[in-house]
Amino acid sequence: MSHKNKAHQDQSKTILLMGMPNVGKSAIFNRYTGMDVMVSNYSGTTVEYTEGIMDVEGTLFTLKDVPGVYDIEKSVDEAEQVAINMLNDNPDGIIFVMDAMNLESSLHLLMQVLTYNIPTVVALNRSDLSENKGMRIDHRVIASRLNVTVVPTVALGGETLDVLKSTLNDVMDQPPKHNVQVSGEARWKDVERIVKFAVKQEVRAENVTDRFAFLVKPWPGLPIALGVLGLMFSLVIGLGMGLRQFVLLPLFNGWLFPIIESAVMQMFDSQMIQNILIGDYGFLIKGIEWPFALVLPYVVSFFITISILEDSGYLPRLAVLLDGIFRHIGLSGSSIIPILLGYGCGIPAIMSSRSLPSRKMRITVAVMVSLAVPCVAQSGAFIALLAERSILALLGVFFISVLAMIGVGFALDKIQKQAIPFTLMELPQLLPPQPKILSKKILTRVRHYIKDGAVPMIIAIFFTSFLYEFGMLAFLGQAFAPVVSGWLNMPEEAATPLIIGIVRRELTVLPLIEMNLTTLQFFTGAVVALFYVPCVAMIATLAKEFSIKMAIGVFIFTTAFAFFIGGLIAQFGGLFIG
């Protein structure tokens, strides 16, 4: 009998896991629910939250990981409004994760949550880090002043989280009698008094945060940021290329593909079936080679590097550092986070733009990502196409991408006349990532790539193999031929990737690898693929997040822009590329 069957099922009862962003909620959630979780959209909104089943002393509850917020009285974005709505849904209890490293802000948010009069247990998390900085917090002062149960916790430590969970039943069995100020001004004064009495030892004059304050200053922060991003780019290429050349390609070309080809030749006499399975667009060959041998290595290396940046606490510092620069193109520094996520996948990048404080910023970031931010599969295809032929051409593609994003930002800032609101961001402690959490995050993201990236690519290749064999791609390619051969200076067969690229963006690039093209033609094809129409899934996301009208507009704009810039490069690029 499974553990879930042994436990009493009472999943109608709901526990909210709340707190500010970057306080360790995800680590606690994963510990309590395991990997069997579900991601849902809150009813009537586009905001996602995660929920799972938590066993509390033999009783199973639904645990909902509420989006991290800083304030729930002056909601400025959809995530904060969702947090308010979830509190108004009458949950049975709350686990509030308070950050010992940002005690005042956490206390203020906690007091706002306690006004809802819901049974609450507080996790004073990262208390080990505060002690390392010389700040000892007496959790009993907080508990006594607010009449709430407070448990010091370490999100990565097992025993403290077990204690936290064991107190939850006791708290839920008693009616809450929290002692909080209603007035906002009086609440801040109360926060100051609690901190004064709870903090037993002030922070040392020199601490970890102070030592790294230079990371958010223009000098030397900007050169360091360029170095970090350059190192990230180098690691993505180096690790991905090594995995591809020395592990996957020898495995597939030297062992797997010969077995598949031999089996197909023995099983099927029909030339047509053989072509569909192992021909130019053979499903059993290209359906494995493109998503796994060519793209997967760079997917893995990208997820390793971006996860290290996230878990180390550097990304919020990068956002603060770039705030002044981004304001020149109508964005705040926090926009860098969804943009960087776009290099993983454009869909979560567009969806994560909900956290931005204005619709103007959301539209700008969405258009930037749709036009000029290549997803990790597409970036992997660019690297596979150009890295071994011309590293300068590869760098040129990403340089043009950045120029296009700046241009989009300037243009939309002029079109959308709206002030840029100031945003506040808490900076988490800068710490080395924990290998266990890091590996779990990378594996989860790779699984998502296989599900949301590789599987749709395989399906697209399956249908492409039929269309190619029955001559339909050749027919459509002839319709594109005047543009492809005349304006882009590429062979007519290069029209085929443009057709199948509508389904999956990276398929605009991958078929070019096996064509006998010049460096200029490879570069032209890569730039066209960079700006070409977003994949069907991204168009659907734009329609859902904004409107069908905007999705159609982005479809038309990106396609026209891709052919226009690609044609300019094809016609005049010979002056610069031999």
Side-chain angles (χ1 to χ4, degrees), residues 287-304:
I288 297 173
E289 180 183 4
W290 287 353
F292 297 108
L294 293 182
V295 176
L296 181 62
Y298 302 105
V299 170
V300 173
S301 59
F302 173 80
F303 285 152
I304 290 173

Side-chain angles (χ1 to χ4, degrees), residues 202-522:
E202 291 297 330
V203 183
R204 299 186 184 104
E206 181 181 2
N207 55 56
V208 175
T209 302
D210 292 335
R211 291 206 303 270
F212 291 102
F214 62 85
L215 291 174
V216 298
K217 297 178 181 178
W219 179 262
L222 285 174
I224 291 174
L226 289 175
V228 168
L229 294 177
L231 179 61
M232 174 183 171
F233 186 79
S234 301
L235 286 173
V236 170
I237 295 177
L239 289 175
M241 191 176 294
L243 182 60
R244 175 177 171 244
Q245 289 184 343
F246 300 112
V247 179
L248 295 177
L249 284 181
L251 176 66
F252 291 152
N253 291 335
W255 177 73
L256 182 60
F257 292 160
I259 293 176
I260 293 175
E261 290 171 352
S262 175
V264 169
M265 297 289 286
Q266 292 178 10
M267 293 175 64
F268 302 101
D269 295 328
S270 169
Q271 185 66 43
M272 182 184 68
I273 295 178
Q274 290 178 5
N275 289 341
I276 290 173
L277 296 178
I278 59 175
D280 291 340
Y281 284 87
F283 166 66
L284 293 181
I285 300 298
K286 303 305 179 187
I288 297 173
E289 180 183 4
W290 287 353
F292 297 108
L294 293 182
V295 176
L296 181 62
Y298 302 105
V299 170
V300 173
S301 59
F302 173 80
F303 285 152
I304 290 173
T305 53
I306 195 68
S307 298
I308 290 173
L309 290 182
E310 285 177 341
D311 285 16
S312 66
Y314 181 72
L315 275 188
R317 286 167 172 78
L318 184 62
V320 172
L321 176 68
L322 297 179
D323 190 71
I325 297 175
F326 272 39
R327 286 181 178 274
H328 291 295
I329 56 174
L331 298 173
S332 65
S334 57
S335 303
I336 188 63
I337 296 176
I339 289 173
L340 284 178
L341 288 176
Y343 286 95
C345 178
I347 295 171
I350 293 171
M351 297 174 70
S352 68
S353 69
R354 305 165 187 158
S355 62
L356 299 178
S358 72
R359 182 173 175 83
K360 170 188 174 180
M361 291 186 190
R362 288 200 66 200
I363 291 174
T364 301
V365 168
V367 175
M368 279 183 173
V369 170
S370 300
L371 175 69
V373 177
C375 69
V376 65
Q378 196 179 9
S379 297
F382 289 153
I383 297 169
L385 180 71
L386 291 170
E388 296 180 16
R389 178 177 288 263
S390 172
I391 195 69
L392 289 179
L394 176 62
L395 292 173
V397 172
F398 288 98
F399 179 70
I400 290 174
S401 166
V402 172
L403 288 182
M405 284 191 282
I406 294 172
V408 166
F410 273 120
L412 292 180
D413 189 36
K414 299 299 182 184
I415 295 172
Q416 304 177 93
K417 298 293 184 181
Q418 183 180 345
I420 306 171
F422 286 95
T423 55
L424 297 176
M425 181 173 290
E426 297 283 352
L427 295 180
Q429 190 78 1
L430 198 64
L431 293 169
Q434 297 291 328
K436 185 176 181 180
I437 294 179
L438 191 67
S439 59
K440 180 182 287 188
K441 178 180 289 188
I442 293 168
L443 287 174
T444 300
R445 286 176 164 174
V446 170
R447 280 206 306 269
H448 286 164
Y449 160 74
I450 293 173
K451 176 185 175 183
D452 301 327
V455 171
M457 197 190 311
I458 293 170
I459 294 172
I461 294 169
F462 175 75
F463 287 106
T464 299
S465 64
F466 280 90
L467 294 175
Y468 182 78
E469 181 62 23
F470 287 101
M472 296 187 68
L473 287 183
F475 175 77
L476 294 173
Q478 289 178 356
F480 277 86
V483 175
V484 173
S485 59
W487 177 238
L488 298 180
N489 287 339
M490 298 181 73
E492 289 187 9
E493 58 264 29
T496 299
L498 293 174
I499 298 168
I500 61 177
I502 296 175
V503 181
R504 290 294 306 176
R505 228 176 181 182
E506 59 274 12
L507 292 181
T508 311
V509 184
L510 293 171
L512 300 179
I513 295 174
E514 298 177 11
M515 296 183 186
N516 186 23
L517 305 180
T518 66
T519 300
L520 178 58
Q521 288 174 322
F522 276 126

Side-chain angles (χ1 to χ4, degrees), residues 59-81:
T59 302
L60 299 181
F61 296 96
T62 299
L63 181 65
K64 295 184 177 182
D65 189 2
V66 182
V69 294
Y70 295 107
D71 194 290
I72 56 173
E73 287 187 342
K74 300 177 181 178
S75 60
V76 295
D77 61 40
E78 201 173 8
E80 292 176 354
Q81 188 58 50

Side-chain angles (χ1 to χ4, degrees), residues 10-15 59-63 91-93 172-173:
D10 197 3
Q11 298 169 25
S12 60
K13 290 191 174 182
T14 300
I15 308 296
T59 302
L60 299 181
F61 296 96
T62 299
L63 181 65
D92 298 281
M172 292 175 62
D173 290 339

